[in-house]
Amino acid sequence: MILNEKYEMMRKLYREFAETEFTDELLDRLEETGEFDWDIFHKMAEYGFTGVKIPKEYGGQGGDSIAYVLMVEEFARVSPVLSLYANTSNSLGAGPLLYCGTEEQKQKYLTPVARGEKIMVFCLTEPGAGSDAGGTLTTAVEDGDYYVLNGRKTFVSGAPIADYAIVYAKTDPTQKGSRGISMFIVDLKLPGISIGKPEHKMGIVGYPTSDVVFDNVRVHKDDLLGPLHKGFSTAMKTLDGGRLGVAAQALGIAEGCLEEAIQYAKDRKQFGRPIASFQAISFMIADMATEIEAARELVYSTAEKKDAEDPEGSKLCAMAKLFASEMANRVAYKAVQVFGGYGYIKEYKVERFYRDVRITSIYEGTSQVQQMVISGNLLR
């Protein structure tokens, strides 16, 4: 896919920002402390990155899916962790509001999220309801002008630093599976909410993840999002966009791995010559580059078709995530292999890429869930 001048200018902006602002010092600090860096987040917000995909009337940039994909890709090429800083507000955080929020809800919640003044996260997964999100046990019981929420959400990316959450809860227990689930906009400062201790993760260190527990939390009916009992379908629509974002993140990680591997192969000498001159190394690099190019075409074309409301958009988003995430894991493996023993040392970027990339084939639905979505679309 050949990008026009507008998109190439966007790519240049994203790349320059990442290469200038995502310094080694910052990345090392994130890795050492595991803490969210508010300074770089606010800088991203100043550039409008936290609202790239959000309409201008709600404080965003009004960009399309290609603009969004390019941003995530270029940021992840330097830092997968920091790509999430600008991704969440344009994906799972804002998605449900964009799909079915009232005008009042959009003005109240979407605008500050787009400007980076507030952070909104997505609470769907539970300890016993991961791939089977229809197994939700969190409940919301009507009580006058409120709903009373009880339950526990897990693996909530960004929960420790968030202001609001889109929470999925069962409002009609008589309906089975994914039916009878509703969405709520929940202020995470409400009484009865407990935020768990940040998880100690293999990768994506510097973007905290934790549980969120709801103990008789009273949420006003004004914060019911979308039709009662119909929230699950919106979750699936939101995850389509999220999967496209993960595909772009995986693509960026793979590009970063390839660049590191090429440079190292040219510089590293064995047996009196650069290792790039050995067929075993050069063929690995050729395979890496070929797979990346194939993934790029799939991710970009999927973004274009999603904006065109292609009826196969959901299947294509699953395909893009499946292929790009598995590809990126293979590329990261080969990059570490090119580095040999040095690829196992934390001072080298490929070691961090190798740990960070693993999550791309897990979150927003595992690769096996993507296969279920794809095959379900093909065989219905």
Side-chain angles (χ1 to χ4, degrees):
M1 179 176 174
I2 299 174
L3 298 176
N4 62 30
E5 185 179 358
K6 178 183 77 171
Y7 291 120
E8 287 296 352
M9 289 295 290
M10 287 182 183
R11 181 194 294 283
K12 182 180 179 182
L13 171 64
Y14 301 143
R15 179 166 294 195
E16 288 181 350
F17 182 89
E19 291 182 343
T20 302
E21 301 296 340
F22 298 173
T23 63
D24 289 342
E25 179 185 6
L26 170 58
L27 300 184
D28 288 344
R29 186 167 68 249
L30 291 173
E31 186 74 21
E32 289 168 9
T33 67
E35 296 176 356
F36 189 83
D37 191 284
W38 287 100
D39 290 339
I40 191 66
F41 175 75
H42 289 141
K43 188 167 287 188
M44 287 180 175
E46 288 173 11
Y47 274 76
F49 299 147
T50 51
V52 160
K53 204 178 170 187
I54 298 174
K56 292 181 179 179
E57 58 264 36
Y58 305 117
Q61 301 299 307
D64 57 14
S65 291
I66 297 179
Y68 162 64
V69 159
L70 289 171
M71 178 187 72
V72 176
E73 175 191 358
E74 290 298 331
F75 286 1
R77 173 179 160 268
V78 181
S79 172
V81 176
L82 292 175
S83 71
L84 290 174
Y85 280 39
N87 175 64
T88 302
S89 56
N90 290 289
S91 179
L92 300 190
L97 276 162
L98 287 171
Y99 281 121
C100 55
T102 65
E103 184 63 25
E104 183 179 359
Q105 287 172 336
K106 290 176 182 177
Q107 292 290 350
K108 180 178 179 180
Y109 297 109
L110 200 55
T111 301
V113 167
R115 293 174 178 167
E117 297 166 359
K118 300 289 184 180
I119 293 177
M120 181 172 282
V121 295
F122 186 80
C123 290
L124 177 63
T125 301
E126 298 185 1
S131 296
D132 177 20
T136 296
L137 295 179
T138 297
T139 60
V141 178
E142 188 174 2
D143 182 23
D145 290 334
Y146 293 83
Y147 283 93
V148 180
L149 271 63
N150 282 282
R152 175 186 172 193
K153 298 295 182 178
T154 193
F155 300 140
V156 182
S157 297
I161 45 91
D163 300 284
Y164 306 122
I166 304 296
V167 180
Y168 292 81
K170 198 82 170 181
T171 45
D172 186 354
T174 66
Q175 297 191 50
K176 303 299 182 181
S178 62
R179 297 178 179 180
I181 292 174
S182 300
M183 296 185 294
F184 298 90
I185 310 166
V186 180
D187 184 335
L188 293 179
K189 303 300 188 294
L190 286 174
I193 294 179
S194 302
I195 307 298
K197 182 180 178 181
E199 304 285 359
H200 294 293
K201 300 176 294 184
M202 175 193 295
I204 310 296
V205 178
Y207 194 78
T209 299
S210 72
D211 286 1
V212 181
V213 178
F214 304 90
D215 182 11
N216 291 321
V217 178
R218 297 180 66 81
V219 178
H220 198 276
K221 287 183 175 180
D222 288 347
D223 289 323
L224 171 69
L225 181 59
L228 187 65
H229 311 321
K230 304 291 184 182
F232 191 77
S233 61
T234 301
M236 295 302 101
K237 289 180 184 178
T238 304
L239 284 170
D240 283 342
R243 286 165 182 167
L244 182 61
V246 174
Q249 183 188 43
L251 176 61
I253 295 171
E255 290 168 357
C257 287
L258 177 62
E259 290 167 8
E260 292 293 318
I262 288 173
Q263 189 60 55
Y264 184 81
K266 289 179 177 179
D267 293 341
R268 174 71 167 167
K269 289 183 172 62
Q270 290 285 272
F271 306 102
R273 55 193 174 120
I275 63 172
S277 66
F278 297 116
Q279 191 177 77
I281 300 297
S282 63
F283 278 16
M284 277 198 290
I285 288 173
D287 286 345
M288 292 160 70
T290 301
E291 287 206 82
I292 288 170
E293 193 61 35
R296 182 182 294 113
E297 291 299 315
L298 178 57
V299 171
Y300 289 6
S301 65
T302 297
E304 192 172 49
K305 289 177 180 179
K306 185 177 185 301
D307 283 343
E309 299 184 358
D310 189 300
E312 295 193 328
S314 181
K315 179 189 73 176
L316 290 168
C317 286
M319 285 179 165
K321 182 187 183 297
L322 173 63
F323 185 79
S325 63
E326 292 293 334
M327 173 278 298
N329 274 275
R330 291 191 295 270
V331 166
Y333 174 91
K334 289 178 180 176
V336 171
Q337 202 71 10
V338 169
F339 273 72
Y342 288 109
Y344 208 66
I345 305 301
K346 286 185 177 291
E347 281 76 8
Y348 290 83
K349 285 185 178 180
V350 293
E351 184 274 341
R352 192 176 298 169
F353 277 137
Y354 189 69
R355 287 185 290 107
D356 286 344
V357 76
R358 190 63 185 85
I359 192 63
T360 63
S361 57
I362 298 175
Y363 63 6
E364 313 278 341
T366 63
S367 290
Q368 289 67 41
V369 166
Q370 307 315 310
Q371 290 171 322
M372 289 166 57
V373 172
I374 295 163
S375 60
N377 273 269
L378 293 170
L379 299 173
R380 63 188 173 190

